[in-house]
Amino acid sequence: MNQPMERNQRKFELPQKLQVLHQVEENLRTKAIEILKEKENLKRHLAIVEAAMDIADIFRQFDTDDEDLKVLQLMGMRTFNAFGAGLKLALSGYHQNSALILRDVLETVFLVDLFSRDHSLIEEWRFADKKTINKKFSPFQVRVRLDDMDGFTTKKRADLYELFSELAGHPTMKSARMMRPEKNGDAVIGPFMEATALEAVVSEMGKLAIRVGEIVITFFPQDWEAGIYAQADFIGKKRKWIEAFFPDAVKWKTE
């Protein structure tokens, strides 16, 4: 009579090959941490990623009945989850898949950037049908509208989006580059750890984190104490990031 119950109480385990894969991922994470320890620039990128995630976390805690503001809180939460997942994948050796998630962050930050310039678009987006989304709020249309607002003609936003798409978002010949531990070597199946690939992904993550934090902060309510502290922390870490990667810009501002 007790045998069925005993069988049900047995500890569940993943299939053996999945367990082995998980152990490989954990071993690669250890290797990734060792790489990060030796690279100060990567530490700076990770610091600003953490700061941007903190901004999103603080923002979602603001109690509001404003449905438009709730949309922005959800967008911030989306970037938090994406950074967390992207970092998890990068440290586990899935560089291409991490870059794919970063493309989602890029799309999100472009849309939130558009909302920051015209708040009336938030409500329009909330109630838009599929036709309107495709016509006015598709990733392409959002990039075009931002470029028009800025007077940009070089299409740098489109170039960056295309880069993420070719290397990670779409099955192209270029995407095979991110499956090669060595530049001219063969593609491999499964995760791998290589310093150049890790550095490329983490660097892009840091650049995106700067923009995420900058834009989300613009929606913080004025005189919100929790927001003031989070904003100050982000700005401090952002300054250190700029000092490290764009020292001439800091020098120009202080002269």
Side-chain angles (χ1 to χ4, degrees):
M1 292 295 291
N2 293 330
Q3 289 182 354
M5 182 178 294
E6 291 175 357
R7 284 197 295 268
N8 290 335
Q9 291 177 342
R10 289 176 184 172
K11 181 180 178 181
F12 171 76
E13 293 185 350
L14 292 172
Q16 183 180 6
K17 291 181 180 179
L18 296 183
Q19 292 185 55
V20 172
L21 178 60
H22 175 68
Q23 188 57 57
V24 170
E25 294 164 356
E26 291 299 291
N27 292 340
L28 290 177
R29 182 183 179 90
T30 300
K31 184 176 180 180
I33 297 300
E34 292 301 316
I35 293 174
L36 295 173
K37 285 180 181 179
E38 302 301 321
K39 294 184 177 291
E40 291 300 320
N41 283 350
L42 295 188
K43 294 179 185 178
R44 294 185 179 96
H45 285 305
L46 291 175
I48 200 64
V49 169
E50 180 188 44
M53 293 174 73
D54 282 344
I55 288 292
D57 185 34
I58 291 295
F59 186 38
R60 60 100 185 167
Q61 298 177 49
F62 181 75
D63 189 20
T64 180
D65 293 325
D66 185 332
E67 295 300 323
D68 287 350
L69 194 60
K70 288 181 180 179
V71 165
L72 276 304
Q73 289 175 316
L74 287 172
M75 294 291 186
M77 293 162 65
R78 183 185 182 95
T79 63
F80 180 101
N81 293 344
F83 280 134
L87 185 59
K88 177 75 171 180
L89 288 170
L91 298 183
S92 298
Y94 295 104
H95 308 292
Q96 184 181 56
N97 305 86
S98 178
L100 176 58
I101 290 178
L102 295 186
R103 191 187 70 165
D104 182 85
V105 177
L106 187 67
E107 283 190 24
T108 303
V109 79
F110 283 163
L111 183 60
V112 176
D113 190 2
L114 182 64
F115 290 160
S116 72
R117 298 162 188 245
D118 186 347
H119 289 199
S120 68
L121 294 175
I122 305 173
E123 182 176 6
E124 184 179 357
W125 179 83
R126 285 201 295 120
F127 293 103
D129 56 20
K130 184 176 181 179
K131 182 178 179 180
T132 302
I133 291 291
N134 291 333
K135 183 179 179 180
K136 300 186 67 174
F137 297 104
S138 68
F140 172 77
Q141 291 298 334
V142 169
R143 295 195 303 272
V144 168
R145 294 171 78 173
L146 288 173
D147 284 345
D148 288 343
M149 290 176 177
D150 290 329
F152 292 165
T153 59
T154 56
K155 297 184 179 180
K156 289 184 178 180
R157 289 185 176 95
D159 291 342
L160 183 56
Y161 183 85
E162 186 66 20
L163 178 64
F164 276 112
S165 296
E166 288 187 343
L167 293 179
H170 302 308
T172 66
M173 288 305 299
K174 288 185 178 181
S175 67
R177 297 176 185 173
M178 298 195 72
M179 297 174 65
R180 293 172 177 162
E182 299 180 7
K183 183 176 180 181
N184 297 318
D186 294 330
V188 300
I189 191 170
F192 65 88
M193 189 52 58
E194 193 274 325
T196 302
L198 179 64
E199 186 168 1
V201 173
V202 173
S203 296
E204 292 301 327
M205 199 175 296
K207 295 173 187 176
L208 285 172
I210 287 286
R211 195 62 183 135
V212 167
E214 288 176 336
I215 294 177
V216 173
I217 282 173
T218 65
F219 292 96
F220 277 18
Q222 291 186 354
D223 301 324
W224 177 38
E225 185 174 356
I228 292 172
Y229 287 120
Q231 183 175 348
D233 179 66
F234 176 82
I235 291 174
K237 291 178 180 177
K238 172 187 168 182
R239 181 174 179 81
K240 291 181 180 179
W241 187 91
I242 294 175
E243 289 174 346
F245 297 104
F246 300 97
D248 291 341
V250 176
K251 181 180 179 182
W252 178 80
K253 286 186 177 182
T254 56
E255 288 180 344

